[in-house]
Every structure is written in C-alpha cells, then in structure tokens.
Amino acid sequence: MRDVMLERAVVTRHRAPPISEPALRLMLTLVLFAALVVLVLLPVGAILSKSLEDQNGAFVGLGNFSAYLGNPSLTRSIGNSLLLGALTTTITVSLAFLYAYALSRSCMPLKPLFRGIGLLPVLSPSLLPAIALTYLFGNQGFLRDLLGGASIYGLSGIVVAQVFYCFPHALLILTTALALSDARLYEAAEMLGASRGRMFRTITLPGARFGLISAVFVVFTIAVTDFGVAKVIGGQFNVLSIDIYKQVIGQQNFRMGAVVGVLLLLPAVLSFGVDLYVRRRQKSMLSVRAVVLVPEQRRGFDLAMLAAAGLVALFILVLVGTALFASFVKFWPYDLSLSLGNYDFAAYDAAGWSSYGNSLTMAAWTALIGTVFAFGGAYLVEKGPGLALPRALYRALAVLPLAVPGLVLGLGYIFFFNSPSNPLNGVYGGLSILVMSTIAHYYTVPHLMAVTALKQIDDEIEEAAAALGVPFWQTFSRVTLPICAPTVIDIATYFFLNAMTTIGAVVFLYAPATKLASVAVVEMDDTGDTAAAAAMAVMILLTAAAVKLLQMLLTSVILRRTQVWRLRRDDGLIDDAGRAPSGA
C-alpha cells in the first residue's frame, strides 16, 4: 500500500502542468485552420495539379488547356456560359431591384407576404423551376403554343429558370442596400426643387451602388456555375457546368474535367475579388446624426409598386405551383386526375425514399458540425488577445469557399480524397464526405454571420472575465452563446437548407447507398420520370419550408424571453444572474 501511494505521488509530481489558455486558443485555431486547408485548399490545389497532367500522371503543362481550347464545340461552351451569365444577371438584378424598391420605398400593402414569396426560391433545389418550365412550355406543356413554335429547351429556358433561382440572393442584398438611407438627403433635395426622378438618379442609385455591384457578381457567379438548371432544360445549349459533368461522369476523362474546372473557377474568383474590393471601399451610409428614411404614402406610386411586385411574385408562385401540381398528376397532360403515385419513389428509383432519408441525415449532420465549426472558429479569431497571424490566416481561408463553385469543389474532392496515398481515403464513398463537402462549400456565409454577431458584443466582457480568472470556454458557454443564440439558429438553418437543396459538389461524390434527394431528382428526370422528379423536388421544398418556419418560431421565442428577462431585471424583480433578490 505504501509503494502504491509513493508511486502516485511520483506520477503527480511529474505530471505535465495544465495547458494555458493562450496555448489552448492557438491549438484550437490551428486545428480549425488545418481542417479548412484539408476541406478547401488541398482539393482545389489537386484540381490545378491534375489539369497540368496527362492520363498517366506525367506533367504536360498547358497541353490539356490547348487541347480543350482547340475543340470548337468545347470552346463554344465558354461563350455560352458568359452569354448566359450576362442575360441572367441583367434580368435578375433588374427585377430584384424593382422588388426591393417596392418593399423598402413604398407603402404598398402585404409587405411581409411579398417578402416571403420573394425568398421562396431559396428553399427549392435549382432543378424545380426547370422542371416546372418543362410542364408549362415543354413538348407536352399546356402553354407551349404561347411560344409560337419556339422551344423552351436551350438558352431561353435556362435564363428563365436561373432568374427564379438567383432572384432571392439578389433580393437580400438589394433590400439591405436600399434600407440604409438618410432621409435628410431627400428632404434637402426636395427643398431645392429636385424632381423624384432626379433624386432617384443622384441619391438612390449612388447610395445603393455597392449593393448593386455585389448583387451583379453574386448572380453572375451562380448563373455561370450552376449545374441543375442546365442539366434539365439546357437541351443542346452546352455550358461549362455541363461540360465538366460530361467529361467526368460521361467520359471518365478526369484530366479534361480538371481543365474545365479551372476555367469554371476563373469567373468565380474574378467575381469574388471584385466584390471583396467593393466591400472594402464601401463607406457607412448612416451617420450618428442620420434620420432613417420612412416612405410616405403616395397612392399612385404605391399601386404601381404593388402591381410590379405582384407580377414578380406571380411568376414565382406559378413555377412553384406548377411543380406542386405536376407532382400529383397521374399522367401529364392526358390524365390530370390527382394521385400520390408519383411519391412512390421506389417505382421510379432503386433508392426509393432512402435518398430523401439520406438528405435529412446529411443535412442534420451538416447543420450540427458546420454550426460548431463556423461559430467556434469565428469566436476564436474574433475574441481574445494575441494570435494575430493564425487569426489573419484563418479569416482569409474562411472566405475562400465563396469563390469555389460546387462542381469544382466536388471534382477536387475526387482527386484529393480518392487518392490511395491520402490517409483520409476511407471517407470517400460514405456519407461523411458529403457532409464535409457541403460544410466546405457553404462555410463562408455562416462564418461572416457569426463574425457580425460577435462584433456586436463588447470586448470588455472577455477582458473582464479574463481579469477575474474565468476560463474563456466558460465565458463562451455562459455569456457569448446565449447572447448569440438567434445567430446560431440562423447558421444551423442556413447549413441545413443548403444541404437539402445542394447538387453541385455531391453529384460527383455520392455512392448508391448515400444517394441524396437532389441527386435522385436529376436521375429521375434523366430517365423520363419527370413527375416523380417533381415530387422529390416538392419534398425538398416542403422540408426546407418547415425548417425555416421552425427557425422563425425558435428565434421569436428566444427574443421574447430575452425581452421579458430585461424588463424584469430593469424592474428589479431579478438580478443580472436571473435570481430573485434577497427579501423579494
């Protein structure tokens, strides 16, 4: 017994001292940084490397690019992609600006309803509008005669579907840009006798120019890199996103697929760079003396804005409603009686309902792990002293995924994780690689959401806790996390919704046992089972809508409880810790 006690004393005396907080912060930051390197930087580097090699792995420099650019049918895809991006961007940004202007600068009725309708496309996979258009204007569409013999398959169909899909992204940016205006500028202009048209040209447009530029580059990037719409309704109109799919899936030509991936990466990187430059030059539109602009009621103008917003909302509702109706029709267009037969997915796809279950599982894991990763990483780099270089590197790497299209990232995952020399090779073909690619693809926006929320918390809280000797993880769990609970819910919802609707990266990475609902939509449409594809797209939409409603409910409950807590504290009914004062 004495020997055992002596041995324990020796072990205790020589035990390593506990790790310090700065060292722990540094370790956690480096771990998250290394994860981003593995999830984003190395797969993109693998694409760049493979594009310079031949089929045997020998270095050929720009030989693959020369071969691609020497094929007229392939190079035509570059011009088609640029044309598609230009048309989609022009139409989408124009409509989104008009819609946002109606929401923020008019007194038209039913604004919350119109705002919800405008954001509805973000809950659907990109294939849903393309499927709806085929039912409306396709070979068997009941409105095909309105096209006067023209075909919806091709550039026109892609542009219309892309406008639907890109609209909410531009709307969110432009609504924010138009909401930040100083009413004093308009009052001064009105006193000087300026017309409303002149005020629009000299005050409104310059004030919203940064939002317009950001919306242009965001929409252009989505339009050029999206795969789902062009796959369903593109017809013979080839674009880069279809080329990369054909090279990898159709011809198993991974080197040429890497070349297309690099070409597809260029417009996204260019758009990202310009948008970043614009954001850095953007200045505050509201000073401390500013007066928030409140629109005045003007009957004629309000009715005009209501009519304009109504037409855009009708366009959105028609496409969603068509897809919903088509999912219940027995045999379009000959038997329009309603049935649930299209929801018997096992009759159309070997995976049946399991693909939908896989999407739910993958989305749940993506929301959980992605939220911890994004919010925890943002907390480590934004709060606390020191670590200047690791924090700067982490910030730079966290915004990189925004410039990497999903198809390019998915192809990079094939090259990187499928390599036999990679110790992480075991994740390839499983559900985990789908979760990893989805987190990496959509990481930037949650990171920026977390950073924005954390910057609103005074650094004195962290400094006071450190001075009192409170470990940073306790401050995080007891103070920071409760304050930022609505943002955490928003981040989790963002990851979940995008995981349910994504198609770009996962189309290269799924296995038969891990097929997702969005992939099943593509495959069922390929086999001609368009009604079943519409049914699966509707299931994705309904699931995303339910999660969005749950998010709004949870956020409202949290905000209501916070408000009640503050009122009770101000009235002296509870102290700062939530306890009733002594004697109360």
Side-chain angles (χ1 to χ4, degrees), residues 81-264:
S81 295
L82 295 177
L83 176 61
L84 169 64
L87 290 175
T88 301
T89 301
T90 302
I91 298 173
T92 303
V93 174
S94 300
L95 292 178
F97 185 86
L98 179 63
Y99 204 89
Y101 195 81
L103 291 176
S104 59
R105 300 297 175 89
S106 75
C107 294
M108 72 176 196
L110 304 175
K111 280 188 180 181
L113 176 62
F114 280 101
R115 185 174 289 107
I117 294 174
L119 298 178
L120 186 60
V122 83
L123 304 178
S124 66
S126 63
L127 297 91
L128 185 141
I131 292 174
L133 286 174
T134 61
Y135 276 98
L136 289 172
F137 302 103
N139 295 331
Q140 301 296 329
F142 60 86
L143 297 180
R144 66 183 183 277
D145 293 338
L146 297 179
L147 298 179
S151 175
I152 194 66
Y153 300 99
L155 177 61
S156 58
I158 301 177
V159 170
V160 174
Q162 287 280 23
V163 168
F164 173 94
Y165 183 62
C166 298
F167 181 81
H169 302 278
L171 178 64
L172 287 171
I173 297 172
L174 294 174
T175 301
T176 303
L178 290 171
L180 302 177
S181 296
D182 191 347
R184 298 176 303 168
L185 297 175
Y186 291 89
E187 292 175 359
E190 189 173 2
M191 292 179 62
L192 293 173
S195 65
R196 294 195 179 275
R198 184 176 178 84
M199 285 189 286
F200 179 81
R201 295 191 306 270
T202 59
I203 301 176
T204 304
L205 285 180
R209 65 185 182 276
F210 294 110
L212 282 168
I213 294 173
S214 294
V216 164
F217 285 104
V218 167
V219 172
F220 183 84
T221 301
I222 296 175
V224 170
T225 59
D226 179 70
F227 160 76
V229 169
K231 182 69 174 64
V232 173
I233 205 170
Q236 301 301 316
F237 189 82
N238 283 336
V239 291
L240 287 173
S241 58
I242 295 297
D243 275 357
I244 191 174
Y245 182 80
K246 290 179 178 179
Q247 294 292 336
V248 175
I249 301 299
Q251 303 178 24
Q252 297 292 303
N253 190 345
F254 292 96
R255 266 62 183 181
M256 197 59 68
V259 170
V260 183
V262 172
L263 296 176
L264 200 59

